[in-house]
Amino acid sequence: MRAKYQPIPPPPPVIAPVAAGWDGSGDLEKGSGSADIADKTALLDKRASTSSGIGNTKRKRRCHPCFWLLLLVGIILLIILIPVGVLVVGKDKSGNKNSGSADNESEDRRDGLKNIDRASIPPEARGTYYDPFDWYDTKDFNCTYTDEKVGDLPIMGLFSEWDDSVRANDNVPPLNEPFDYGKQPIRGVNVGGWFVMEPFITPSYFKEWDSRFGVVDEYTLSKQLGPETARKTFEKHYSEFIKEEDFRMIRDAGLDHVRIPFGYWAVMQLDGDPYVYQVEWRYLLRAIEYCRKYGLRVKLDLHSVPGGANGWNHSGRLGPIHWLNGTDGDRNAQLTLELHDKMSKFFSQPRYKNVVTMYGLVNEPRMTFLDADKVIAWSEQAYKIIRGNGYEGKIVFGDGFRGLEKWKGEFQSLEGMVLDVHQYVIFNTGQISQTHTGKVQFACKGWSAQLLKINNPDTGYGPTMVGEWGQADTDCTPYLNNVGVGSRWEGTLNYGEDEPGNVLTPTCPNKNQCSCEKANEHPNNYSDDYKLFLKTFAIAQMDAFENGWGWMYWTWQTEDSHQWSYRKGLEAGILPKAAVNREWSCQDDIPDFAARGLPEYY
């Protein structure tokens, strides 16, 4: 999720290489030097300026010139290597620095190689995707070499046996029995920020960079890191951000579905792309097997398409839309159809019939900008390809922000097409400014009525699910609206002078004292009334969305933000312990939070 209503800003300015004589003050001396060295110097200017004081005049006169040359080389190497090391190390999912050096963790990651002979990997496969000795993590992968493919996609890493007799909880059927969609509500969660990185979910990867470098999304981060460092950085992230224990905890929270967003670079490499190609594919397949193990059904979600369907950072690249738009728009749309041809052949295999029960076409195509007729025609083409390849599950398309009422009558001849709508109050200045009690009332009454209407084919489209929603009542989380911009809540949302979408006056309900300080605190410091509000608001949305096909919360894990993480929300007591047996409902009295003393600027 995300900053749905922000404008498409111009691409970040190209940063000219900094000359070797840059002294950290912002002024450049004449001379030539390495742009890479200068880039790293910008990130460590404080460290560099501290190092500049080494030595004194007396020693300077006595030292041989070679000494100073060697010292300079050493400092340059440190400047280059330290920030790269910081980025590769990153943070773990708790927000703590992750050394990755613990012996037991290292042994665990190499577990899959125990009975594998290095000689069994053909020479031509070594150092490639098919070489498990080149993988950062081999746990729960089948490391026996194979170059077999289905739909031109590798099966390397998969085991040949599986068990679909598992159920997530007593309220849902086991995987090998049909889920009664439309009668049984979906209660699920996204694993966002894992396979398509988002700055507000994993801020540690972005805040290390000076703003001059324009690192604002996965595209620019990958480009700045370079191919080899990017590969190591992202594979470590894939391995450690979401682990098997997370899927067990998802099950234990009473959830039954997992929406897995991924980028097109998992299966497709385009000329000039800096994205790490294909590595996430292996981890995506392992994630599905973890879901199977805990009885969780999967909704695959293509979150990024060639050219970009919405121009927001959560699509991989912030900037102009080149999907069904512009010179390369049709070509990129065709590439996306080719991707679905591969993917649907792969996931039509018998092993996925019971677990990958929902298949998404494209996340949030920006139909307020794109030609709606073109998007609809493209969706029909994609549907025919996917069904033609034998996929039998539900096929999901996004509402595109065009207005739910406009979908009535569409796709009626396409069996199993489900509308996906994303609901948030914080990206709209009218909704974010509601009081705490007003937000709960809006969910219980407004969204409930909307879902009842749209879910009925007589009054709306028909089958409708809420594929994303959140409980945050402000847009205060750092980087939520983009790297380097502020918030609607405080009136500091500034995309640039005269840019559309700027919000430069506070929007909290009382329009003064609007502060992000309280919302961004650790939940240990939340007042009891604020905790009660957050839990009540979450339950109100769960109730409302179950008037349709159900819901999938955004998202399971974040580094820092407790109001955007289901896992952290459970730990903080701001989400119900069990998604099924909730301690309040919209049928009960809605608390008057103002009367209880909860400030509206909180």
Side-chain angles (χ1 to χ4, degrees):
M1 180 357 287
R2 334 155 18 157
K4 301 278 188 296
Y5 302 100
Q6 68 196 42
I8 300 177
V14 176
I15 305 302
V18 181
W22 181 55
D23 64 0
S25 66
D27 297 322
L28 299 180
E29 299 173 1
K30 292 181 180 179
S32 61
S34 164
D36 289 338
I37 292 173
D39 288 355
K40 306 309 176 186
T41 303
L43 293 176
L44 294 179
D45 52 355
K46 289 184 180 178
R47 297 175 198 169
S49 62
T50 300
S51 301
S52 66
I54 295 175
N56 56 46
T57 307
K58 212 172 198 183
R59 298 176 90 182
K60 204 185 233 182
R61 286 196 297 265
R62 289 203 301 264
C63 291
H64 192 279
C66 290
F67 168 81
W68 295 109
L69 180 60
L70 291 171
L71 180 62
L72 178 61
V73 171
I75 291 173
I76 290 172
L77 287 173
L78 283 173
I79 289 171
I80 292 172
L81 294 175
I82 287 175
V84 172
V86 167
L87 284 168
V88 171
V89 167
K91 282 188 177 182
D92 67 16
K93 58 192 173 188
S94 304
N96 300 316
K97 286 292 179 183
N98 211 0
S99 69
S101 61
D103 291 340
N104 57 340
E105 289 184 5
S106 179
E107 290 178 7
D108 203 38
R109 291 197 306 270
R110 311 314 293 167
D111 184 68
L113 296 174
K114 284 181 178 177
N115 298 312
I116 305 297
D117 186 347
R118 184 74 175 88
S120 67
I121 311 300
E124 64 273 14
R126 294 180 186 178
T128 72
Y129 179 90
Y130 299 91
D131 182 2
F133 291 88
D134 195 50
W135 299 354
Y136 175 77
D137 186 353
T138 65
K139 180 177 171 58
D140 295 325
F141 286 115
N142 181 355
C143 294
T144 302
Y145 172 79
T146 177
D147 61 358
E148 184 179 347
K149 296 180 180 181
V150 175
D152 200 35
L153 300 176
I155 68 167
M156 178 73 185
L158 289 174
F159 291 93
S160 58
E161 297 181 353
W162 60 90
D163 178 10
D164 285 348
S165 65
V166 187
R167 72 173 76 216
N169 57 66
D170 292 339
N171 298 284
V172 297
L175 294 177
N176 55 11
E177 295 179 14
F179 192 96
D180 198 358
Y181 289 106
K183 296 181 180 179
Q184 173 104 36
I186 297 166
R187 298 182 175 109
V189 68
N190 286 264
V191 283
W194 189 15
F195 296 132
V196 180
M197 194 171 281
E198 299 193 28
F200 89 95
I201 296 176
T202 54
S204 68
Y205 292 90
F206 296 87
K207 68 183 181 182
E208 299 290 345
W209 294 91
D210 187 285
S211 61
R212 298 178 311 111
F213 299 104
V215 177
V216 295
D217 50 31
E218 184 159 337
Y219 183 95
T220 49
L221 176 60
S222 301
K223 191 171 184 178
Q224 287 290 351
L225 289 175
E228 187 57 25
T229 301
R231 184 181 70 86
K232 292 178 180 178
T233 299
F234 281 96
E235 183 165 12
K236 188 173 188 292
H237 169 71
Y238 301 150
S239 170
E240 297 179 355
F241 186 63
I242 301 288
K243 299 182 179 181
E244 179 184 355
E245 68 175 18
D246 291 287
F247 296 97
R248 174 183 55 77
M249 295 172 72
I250 290 170
R251 178 204 63 188
D252 293 348
L255 302 172
D256 47 59
H257 279 69
V258 177
R259 182 174 181 251
I260 306 180
F262 65 95
Y264 70 83
W265 49 90
V267 298
M268 179 177 285
Q269 187 173 36
L270 303 182
D271 291 343
D273 267 358
Y275 298 117
V276 177
Y277 169 56
Q278 204 169 45
V279 175
E280 72 181 58
W281 173 249
R282 180 166 64 249
Y283 289 89
L284 170 62
L285 297 183
R286 187 176 70 172
I288 294 170
E289 296 308 316
Y290 284 150
C291 287
R292 188 197 308 274
K293 181 175 180 178
Y294 295 105
L296 301 165
R297 290 169 171 84
V298 170
K299 192 249 179 189
L300 289 176
D301 193 80
L302 181 59
H303 230 61
S304 177
V305 297
N310 54 50
W312 291 314
N313 64 20
H314 56 75
S315 69
R317 188 176 188 182
L318 181 70
I321 298 172
H322 294 296
W323 183 82
L324 284 176
N325 180 64
T327 304
D328 298 322
D330 290 342
R331 174 58 179 155
N332 286 325
Q334 179 59 38
L335 287 171
T336 310
L337 292 176
E338 292 172 11
L339 181 151
H340 280 308
D341 184 45
K342 294 181 178 184
M343 294 278 292
S344 57
K345 285 175 180 174
F346 192 93
F347 289 108
S348 294
Q349 294 180 80
R351 71 178 294 139
Y352 294 112
K353 178 180 180 180
N354 297 323
V355 63
V356 180
T357 57
M358 309 190 89
Y359 184 111
L361 297 182
V362 54
N363 181 64
E364 297 183 353
R366 198 170 181 177
M367 296 174 72
T368 55
F369 176 84
L370 295 168
D371 185 322
D373 290 337
K374 283 187 175 182
V375 176
I376 291 170
W378 178 90
S379 300
E380 291 173 339
Q381 285 182 277
Y383 177 93
K384 292 176 182 177
I385 289 170
I386 294 164
R387 285 284 187 249
N389 286 332
Y391 181 76
E392 299 176 357
K394 305 302 179 185
I395 297 177
V396 183
F397 67 98
D399 76 315
F401 313 108
R402 67 191 292 244
L404 295 181
E405 69 283 352
K406 294 181 179 179
W407 287 106
K408 187 178 186 302
E410 299 287 2
F411 303 138
Q412 294 305 298
S413 64
L414 305 184
E415 186 277 329
M417 276 282 264
V418 181
L419 175 62
D420 180 9
V421 57
H422 299 168
Q423 302 284 40
Y424 300 95
V425 298
I426 60 173
F427 301 110
N428 179 296
T429 54
Q431 293 174 353
I432 195 174
S433 63
Q434 295 179 97
T435 64
H436 293 104
T437 299
K439 287 184 173 78
V440 177
Q441 291 173 333
F442 178 74
C444 284
K445 297 178 181 179
W447 276 337
S448 291
Q450 183 188 63
L451 264 294
L452 284 169
K453 181 178 180 180
I454 191 66
N455 199 58
N456 183 343
D458 292 332
T459 55
Y461 169 76
T464 303
M465 62 177 287
V466 178
E468 292 185 20
W469 64 279
Q471 69 184 124
D473 65 318
T474 76
D475 64 335
C476 286
T477 297
Y479 298 169
L480 178 65
N481 294 307
N482 267 343
V483 176
V485 303
S487 68
R488 296 168 184 82
W489 188 257
E490 290 186 325
T492 57
L493 185 63
N494 191 347
Y495 295 111
E497 188 175 357
D498 298 326
E499 287 290 338
N502 291 342
V503 180
L504 303 179
T505 56
T507 60
C508 72
N510 60 6
K511 301 296 185 293
N512 58 58
Q513 295 182 290
C514 300
S515 171
C516 285
E517 181 180 352
K518 294 291 187 182
N520 286 339
E521 283 185 332
H522 191 280
N524 289 346
N525 297 322
Y526 289 170
S527 70
D528 290 342
D529 287 327
Y530 190 48
K531 284 187 175 181
L532 176 63
F533 160 72
L534 289 171
K535 181 184 284 189
T536 304
F537 186 41
I539 294 174
Q541 293 180 80
M542 294 175 181
D543 273 19
F545 302 151
E546 288 177 15
N547 287 297
W549 271 34
W551 49 266
M552 296 183 181
Y553 182 98
W554 187 275
T555 182
W556 173 251
Q557 185 58 292
T558 63
E559 287 181 346
D560 300 319
S561 178
H562 289 74
Q563 292 187 22
W564 287 95
S565 166
Y566 206 103
R567 174 172 173 164
K568 286 180 168 58
L570 287 171
E571 294 167 352
I574 57 176
L575 282 168
K577 292 181 180 178
V580 179
N581 301 313
R582 305 188 285 261
E583 55 264 49
W584 181 86
S585 80
C586 283
Q587 304 305 312
D588 299 324
D589 291 337
I590 296 175
D592 186 336
F593 292 101
R596 293 175 65 97
L598 181 61
E600 294 299 347
Y601 58 80
Y602 197 115

